[in-house]
Amino acid sequence: MPPTSAEIEHAAQLIRGGRLVAFPTETVYGLGANALDAGAVARIFAVKGRPSTSPLIVHVGSIEMAKSLVAEWPESAERLAERFWPGPLTMVLPTRRNSGPGISGPIVPPIVTAGLATVGLRMPAHPVALALIRAAGVPVAAPSANRFTEISPTTAEHVRRSLGKDVDYILDGGQCQVGIESAVLSLAGGECVLLRPGGVSRADLESVIGTVAFRDLSPAAAHPSPGMHPRHYSPRTLLLLVSAGKLPDEGSGIYLQHSQPVSREGITVVQMPHSAAEYAAALYGKLHEADAASVDWIAVDAPPNTPEWEAVLDRLRRAANSK
Ligand code: TXA
Ligand code: MG
């Protein structure tokens, strides 16, 4: 049962009142607060246990709302928004500053952006998310609704298990359809850089704006996206990314098979979907289940290293990198 309009209105009132609401998006569930209320946003960081150096995405209900928060809205942003909003694309743009007499500073409080001169904006496609933002009438800052470094939630039950009573209200919109987080694309400084691959593929982005640069991962490079922590998206259980069906000799485990069969006694084999989109939609749910099974390890049959798998491989590599 999707939330009723009365439930959405209640949630919107909580947002306006500075409280925290978990809500479904097409990618993963978000933990939302009024993006213009620094105190409410501070609670997001406290509840998640997230370092203050990791900026939040601001969710908007319209392109006008997005434009009101940024200093410039380049033509590339206009074209991308036309094509992919509402949808799983976050655009990073320079923040707008207040300019009235007696007021100064960015419109979006620095706690949201980790003090950067840019803000990440996204218009989510889930009807409940859009209805919530529009009813609240304010932009909604929201990270994924899980504790720091845990696997992102793709059901309301995942949110309940992770955050429990620390969230004031949860809107249950069923299972997320995309299943992994949005693509984060920086358009600041006249350059297009993909900071995080995600729900919109690089190829689709390039079909609209031409070549998109890779993020520079060299240690010497300035940290363009402080939230790109390698330990994001991790189950508690040791996760191994394996090829050719090669499993550890010891211990109990679960094998998330894509195409390579394994021959070893005493392990549970879970068949994953073959297409990248369906695999992404299923991935976090399967990892949550495997994590709850109290095994020694989770082995993931590495999907092919081709462009359509870029976002899924990014998440799997981070999860495997965590211990
Ligand atoms: O699909 C999604 O993006 C989900 C749903 C809830 O919208 N949200 C999400 O939020 O994944 P979170 O906080 O888990 O990840 C936000 C990412 C981080 O990698 C952060 O570094 C990047 O967005 N980001 C946000 N603002 C940024 C900025 N101003 N500059 C660079 N990166 C930014
Ligand atoms: Mg997250």
Side-chain angles (χ1 to χ4, degrees):
M1 282 281 281
T4 62
S5 49
E7 286 165 336
I8 291 174
E9 184 47 48
H10 175 63
Q13 265 174 35
L14 290 172
I15 293 279
R16 281 196 297 271
R19 312 283 290 277
L20 303 189
V21 173
F23 62 97
T25 82
E26 75 280 25
T27 59
V28 301
Y29 275 71
L31 177 62
N34 178 355
L36 305 180
D37 180 339
V41 173
R43 247 193 90 210
I44 292 181
F45 283 92
V47 164
K48 277 197 64 123
R50 177 173 172 127
S52 60
T53 50
S54 189
L56 303 182
I57 293 170
V58 175
H59 297 72
V60 295
S62 65
I63 291 183
E64 288 61 48
M65 192 186 266
K67 286 181 181 169
S68 74
L69 303 174
V70 297
E72 49 190 78
W73 183 255
E75 203 217 320
S76 54
E78 182 67 26
R79 302 220 317 266
L80 289 164
E82 228 167 69
R83 170 79 187 273
F84 299 114
W85 278 9
L89 171 65
T90 296
M91 294 194 272
V92 172
L93 289 159
T95 47
R96 181 192 291 247
R97 299 181 71 82
N98 283 306
S99 59
I103 43 167
S104 65
I107 292 178
V108 175
I111 188 169
V112 174
T113 58
L116 298 171
T118 55
V119 60
L121 298 174
R122 158 165 132 80
M123 193 196 301
H126 197 294
V128 172
L130 274 182
L132 173 67
I133 301 163
R134 289 173 183 167
V138 292
V140 174
S144 50
N146 53 282
R147 311 269 179 200
F148 184 57
T149 77
E150 284 180 1
I151 310 162
S152 295
T154 51
T155 66
E157 185 52 31
H158 293 157
V159 179
R160 258 176 234 119
R161 266 189 257 144
S162 178
L163 301 180
K165 292 203 161 54
D166 288 345
V167 51
D168 297 314
Y169 196 66
I170 302 176
L171 285 168
D172 187 343
Q175 195 183 319
C176 301
Q177 299 293 304
V178 174
I180 56 171
E181 298 81 354
S182 62
V184 179
L185 179 72
S186 174
L187 298 173
E191 266 196 319
C192 306
V193 185
L194 189 58
L195 300 177
R196 177 178 75 180
V200 173
S201 74
R202 181 188 294 276
D204 283 345
L205 295 172
E206 291 187 335
S207 75
V208 175
I209 51 166
T211 306
V212 167
F214 284 84
R215 114 187 91 99
D216 186 350
L217 291 174
S218 67
H223 219 312
S225 194
M228 299 304 294
H229 197 278
R231 277 195 61 217
H232 261 141
Y233 321 106
S234 316
R236 280 181 299 267
T237 313
L238 175 67
L239 186 140
L240 307 162
L241 196 52
V242 303
S243 55
K246 273 197 74 183
L247 300 184
D249 297 326
E250 311 273 297
S252 61
I254 291 179
Y255 182 59
L256 301 191
Q257 176 172 330
H258 179 252
S259 56
Q260 296 295 314
V262 282
S263 52
R264 184 179 175 295
E265 300 286 287
I267 56 155
T268 305
V269 176
V270 176
Q271 180 61 55
M272 297 296 286
H274 277 283
S275 82
E278 287 171 52
Y279 189 109
L283 178 61
Y284 290 159
K286 294 299 182 200
L287 289 179
H288 277 284
E289 273 174 39
D291 210 15
S294 306
V295 288
D296 297 318
W297 42 260
I298 303 164
V300 181
D301 179 16
N305 193 1
T306 56
E308 53 172 336
W309 290 91
E310 184 181 11
V312 165
L313 279 171
D314 171 79
R315 303 305 188 273
L316 288 174
R317 289 188 185 120
R318 285 171 204 279
N321 216 356
S322 66
K323 299 280 176 341

